[in-house]
Amino acid sequence: MPTDVQSVLQPDGKVKNGMLPDLTDDRLREMYRLMVLTRAFDDRGMNLQRQGRIGFYLPSRGEEALQVGCALALEPDDWSFPSYRMPGFALARGVDPAMMLNQIFGNAADTCRGRQMPVHYSFREQNFVSISSPIGTHIPQAVGAAMAMKYRGEKSVAITFMGDGGTSSDGFHVGLNFGAVYEAPVIFFCNNNQWAISVPFEKQTRAESVAIKAKAYGMPGVRVDGNDALAVYAAVKDAGSRARNGKGPTLIEALTFRMGPHSSSDDPSRYRPDEVVEQWQKKDPILRFREFLTGKNLWDEEFETECQEGSKALLYAAAKEAEKAGPPAVETMFEGVYREIPPELALQRDGLVGLAKSGQLTGKDEGYFPL
Ligand SMILES: Cc1ncc(C[n+]2csc(CCOP(=O)(O)OP(=O)(O)O)c2C)c(N)n1
Ligand SMILES: [Mg+2]
């Protein structure tokens, strides 16, 4: 039933009988390390924004388990069309955190060449397709990519992510219908963190869950505890194997909670009571996983220090480097669109480069996205 919530780890970190996915001890410890790294990355991002060193950040505190569990259940060649609250997914797919910081700073080493909003990453090597700001537009894109894989006889799958708010977008409905009709090898993953900025889930839909919507499109719908990395891992593995075996898409709804603000520009205390946040604090996915590892003798203080301090030091150094790199050169603005640049644009480019060279174009404090 799409209303049952699948889980592997109980709130005290104990495993439900016979439910443990097939993962080595090293892989389990890696899962934990990546969750800690994700939280450290979010803390670094928010601190950088508060220090005025970057313009914008968007944290995912409390949502680490679903990001890491999901990423580790995929194959290296799979394609992802993520939403914006997924730093842990990128990290767990093997993206270098330094590259993510380059994007946030929009510096000369940024893969997006400073043209995207901060946290709207794009990493070719990991088949990580550019994050789109307009909600839901990437969902049909993922379906199209999956259809292409099927057409070409490839064994990879596409996964796409949307929030609870994203399920109200036109892209969601179009994507799910098209994906099911064409039996595309795609996984629709809804991160139901209960809030779409200030809109609570109960105002988002009259349906009893997101997962139940799958039935109308003709695909399985699964509800899973999003604070349980192992349950998410198992759900994505299952959906991936259905897709790889020609059985079409699955809709996964992972239940979690957005512990922090929507973004560095938001103040959630204006629209939701602290008590709700406190209740969810007790369900912290990282603490639960730590309990689980402890029960298996896979955790000790030394490992904890290694994860915590290692992540902090890595990110502190990478942020310093990213800041030092400076913005992309002005002429890059004219690259990457035309094979041969039209004469009127070449004229503008040369004018701008001239201004930059004569020091009349500082660019300082200009152009930050004000969200
Ligand atoms: C088409 C569109 N409408 C509105 C917005 C403004 N907006 C940005 S994030 C957001 C909330 C989305 O919430 P949800 O899908 O639950 O994702 P979450 O932020 O919780 O991860 C909205 C309405 C947008 N970016 N695009
Ligand atoms: Mg949401």
Side-chain angles (χ1 to χ4, degrees):
M1 287 292 288
T3 42
D4 293 342
V5 180
Q6 296 180 1
S7 62
V8 172
L9 292 183
Q10 295 169 357
D12 60 3
K14 296 224 166 62
V15 180
K16 283 192 177 171
N17 267 349
M19 298 289 285
L20 193 61
D22 188 17
L23 284 158
T24 61
D25 290 351
D26 280 352
R27 201 80 171 138
L28 293 171
R29 275 159 66 97
E30 178 64 2
M31 251 184 182
Y32 183 75
R33 193 191 64 78
L34 285 163
M35 283 196 259
V36 172
L37 178 63
T38 303
R39 187 161 294 182
F41 192 91
D42 277 339
D43 290 346
R44 190 86 283 255
M46 285 302 280
N47 286 344
L48 287 169
Q49 199 280 338
R50 296 302 187 234
Q51 290 164 357
R53 293 160 68 190
I54 59 170
F56 177 75
Y57 191 73
L58 201 141
S60 66
R61 193 182 186 84
E63 303 172 28
E64 296 86 355
L66 70 89
Q67 302 177 63
V68 172
C70 175
L72 295 188
L74 297 169
E75 298 298 325
D77 284 344
D78 291 341
W79 282 70
S80 53
F81 292 73
S83 50
Y84 45 74
R85 203 179 299 283
M86 308 233 42
F89 179 79
L91 292 166
R93 290 288 283 163
V95 176
D96 181 352
M99 289 306 291
M100 294 165 67
L101 284 157
N102 286 337
Q103 197 284 331
I104 294 174
F105 276 93
N107 68 17
D110 168 21
T111 54
C112 304
R113 310 177 107 191
R115 295 175 195 181
Q116 265 280 33
M117 261 182 79
V119 311
H120 287 56
Y121 312 109
S122 176
F123 301 109
R124 190 184 290 265
E125 211 184 305
Q126 285 80 15
N127 293 344
F128 184 111
V129 178
S130 177
I131 291 169
S132 308
S133 259
I135 301 290
T137 52
H138 57 297
I139 302 171
Q141 294 168 10
V143 175
M147 287 170 69
M149 290 166 193
K150 185 176 175 178
Y151 183 73
R152 287 155 61 156
E154 293 170 1
K155 271 287 169 212
S156 36
V157 306
I159 186 163
T160 182
F161 301 89
M162 75 292 305
D164 39 302
T167 63
S168 300
S169 69
D170 48 358
F172 177 82
H173 301 288
V174 170
L176 266 76
N177 189 53
F178 223 72
V181 167
Y182 285 90
E183 293 187 317
V186 57
I187 304 171
F188 300 104
F189 190 107
C190 175
N191 169 357
N192 184 353
N193 64 6
Q194 324 276 333
W195 291 89
I197 311 185
S198 56
V199 177
F201 183 59
E202 53 283 10
K203 287 192 181 169
Q204 196 66 247
T205 178
R206 292 282 179 218
E208 58 190 286
S209 71
V210 170
I212 204 168
K213 293 175 192 243
K215 195 168 170 55
Y217 294 107
M219 68 178 86
V222 190
R223 259 192 147 188
V224 61
D225 182 344
N227 283 17
D228 176 347
L230 297 178
V232 172
Y233 176 89
V236 175
K237 268 277 178 214
D238 269 2
S241 101
R242 287 192 70 247
R244 278 178 237 282
N245 288 304
K247 298 204 172 130
T250 306
L251 172 62
I252 298 173
E253 174 188 11
L255 287 168
T256 184
F257 189 81
R258 199 195 74 211
M259 295 298 295
H262 170 72
S263 74
S264 51
S265 314
D266 177 42
D267 173 9
S269 69
R270 292 175 58 180
Y271 55 80
R272 70 179 187 190
D274 288 346
E275 298 84 75
V276 188
V277 185
E278 282 156 22
Q279 278 165 20
W280 276 88
Q281 227 137 24
K282 295 184 195 129
K283 302 183 192 172
D284 188 317
I286 298 185
L287 295 184
R288 196 192 303 186
F289 208 82
R290 187 191 298 168
E291 290 298 321
F292 160 67
L293 288 184
T294 308
K296 282 181 71 73
N297 278 333
L298 294 175
W299 180 92
D300 56 24
E301 286 295 341
E302 196 188 334
F303 177 56
E304 183 67 17
T305 310
E306 198 182 301
C307 293
Q308 297 283 355
E309 299 310 319
S311 300
K312 278 185 208 149
L314 173 80
L315 298 170
Y316 186 81
K320 263 193 153 174
E321 280 301 306
E323 196 166 30
K324 260 200 281 177
V330 286
E331 58 269 32
T332 61
M333 204 191 295
F334 298 85
E335 294 168 1
V337 177
Y338 295 98
R339 189 162 66 171
E340 278 165 41
I341 189 160
E344 66 277 12
L345 267 188
L347 208 62
Q348 288 184 26
R349 177 196 58 199
D350 297 344
L352 198 65
V353 170
L355 280 178
K357 277 196 177 136
S358 63
Q360 293 176 65
L361 198 73
T362 64
K364 200 173 174 329
D365 296 334
E366 287 165 17
Y368 278 144
F369 199 81
L371 262 183

